[in-house]
Amino acid sequence: MTGQLLRPRLGVVGGLGPLATADFYRKTIDAVPAETDADHISMAILSVPQIPDRSGAIREGSDKPLPWLIEAIDMLNSLDVEIIAIACNTAHHWYDALSAASRAEIIHIADAAIGELHRRYKGNRAAVMATRGTLHSGFYQKRLREAGFDCRNPIGPAFQRAVDDAILQVKLGKLRQARLACAAAFELCRQDGSEAAILACTELPIAAEEVVPEGMPVIDASLALALTCIQRLRDPDRRRNIAM
């Protein structure tokens, strides 16, 4: 356990990938109405890019990333954090196992994103832009259905290829190519009749910069997670909706 002076309140499992984690950190900073450094949330970011590929493991029926994720959760718990955020959508495939292994509450990124979708979108059809592993896992689709949404991605391979390419190009640091691929995915959503979209991979908000279609509610799951974490830490009873 740390001393009270250095105790981080928020623990972050990051590095999945590194640029996406930096984006999440920036969003937590931007969302706090701080006037001094000390007004910001104290946090510990554990960046572990070596955690095995989550999407591939899910599609292969493997739990190879799980021991790594549990060790990361254990390390953050050893710092006595109050809540934990995992800056990777796909890793939430193992959410139940990770929550069972954690003293601190782990905020579910899909719940945060769907809560934001409810606030910003009054229709019921939304596309989920995500890794193939996240889609194969089905946790977004399940939660969206339970929340009253019709979750249908564009039919055909072109949409997922564009999403995959946008994610890959961010990981490669090729942001111009990432934005072109993301713009193509948005256009396919429009053509297919999707009225809203969730950026359900932490690389995608970076790819979506400057190419979000006008008039389409596009939910940034990373931002929704950051806002939820901040609200939980700023609101002692943890029951109010985000009001930021």
Side-chain angles (χ1 to χ4, degrees):
M1 296 291 182
T2 60
Q4 288 301 306
L5 290 177
L6 294 179
R7 180 190 175 194
R9 300 187 68 201
L10 171 62
V12 181
V13 179
L16 312 170
L19 188 56
T21 302
D23 180 60
F24 174 77
Y25 180 42
R26 177 60 184 265
K27 283 166 178 166
T28 63
I29 294 169
D30 289 346
V32 174
E35 295 182 2
T36 69
D37 291 349
D39 293 331
H40 286 280
I41 301 295
S42 60
M43 69 178 75
I45 299 175
L46 180 59
S47 182
V48 194
Q50 291 74 28
I51 294 176
D53 176 58
R54 284 70 58 203
S55 184
I58 293 169
R59 294 164 66 196
E60 294 165 5
S62 167
D63 287 330
K64 188 175 181 180
L66 183 56
W68 294 68
L69 290 165
I70 287 177
E71 187 169 341
I73 294 294
D74 286 346
M75 187 172 294
L76 292 173
N77 274 286
S78 74
L79 298 176
D80 200 26
V81 298
E82 295 177 39
I83 61 173
I84 292 174
I86 304 173
C88 170
N89 286 264
T90 310
H92 287 72
H93 172 74
W94 294 279
Y95 177 82
D96 289 344
L98 296 172
S99 289
S102 179
R103 175 198 57 77
E105 177 189 10
I106 302 174
I107 306 299
H108 200 300
I109 195 169
D111 292 340
I114 293 167
E116 186 66 16
L117 182 65
H118 259 306
R119 283 182 283 277
R120 291 186 47 199
Y121 175 52
K122 302 309 177 186
N124 75 335
R125 184 173 179 190
V128 177
M129 297 170 64
T131 66
R132 293 174 189 259
T134 294
L135 296 175
H136 185 80
S137 177
F139 60 84
Y140 261 101
Q141 297 94 313
K142 178 178 182 293
R143 281 171 161 77
L144 281 163
R145 286 193 298 269
E146 290 172 349
F149 291 102
D150 176 9
C151 175
R152 286 184 292 163
N153 282 357
I155 296 172
F159 171 75
Q160 191 59 42
R161 280 202 305 263
V163 172
D164 291 345
D165 191 35
I167 295 167
L168 175 62
Q169 297 305 325
V170 172
K171 288 184 179 293
L172 294 174
K174 298 179 179 180
L175 301 189
R176 180 177 179 277
Q177 293 91 324
R179 287 169 187 148
L180 290 172
C182 197
F186 282 137
E187 179 57 28
L188 289 167
C189 283
R190 276 198 179 280
Q191 291 175 12
D192 194 62
S194 295
E195 299 168 342
I198 298 177
L199 302 177
C201 172
T202 49
E203 273 77 29
L204 287 174
I206 301 166
E209 290 176 3
E210 303 175 7
V211 298
V212 172
E214 185 176 352
M216 176 184 279
V218 175
I219 305 304
D220 176 346
S222 293
L223 176 58
L225 179 62
L227 291 172
T228 300
C229 290
I230 292 165
Q231 183 63 29
R232 293 293 180 89
L233 292 170
R234 289 169 61 87
D235 180 8
D237 67 16
R238 300 189 176 189
R239 287 192 293 272
R240 290 184 296 147
N241 290 328
I242 296 170
M244 304 183 70

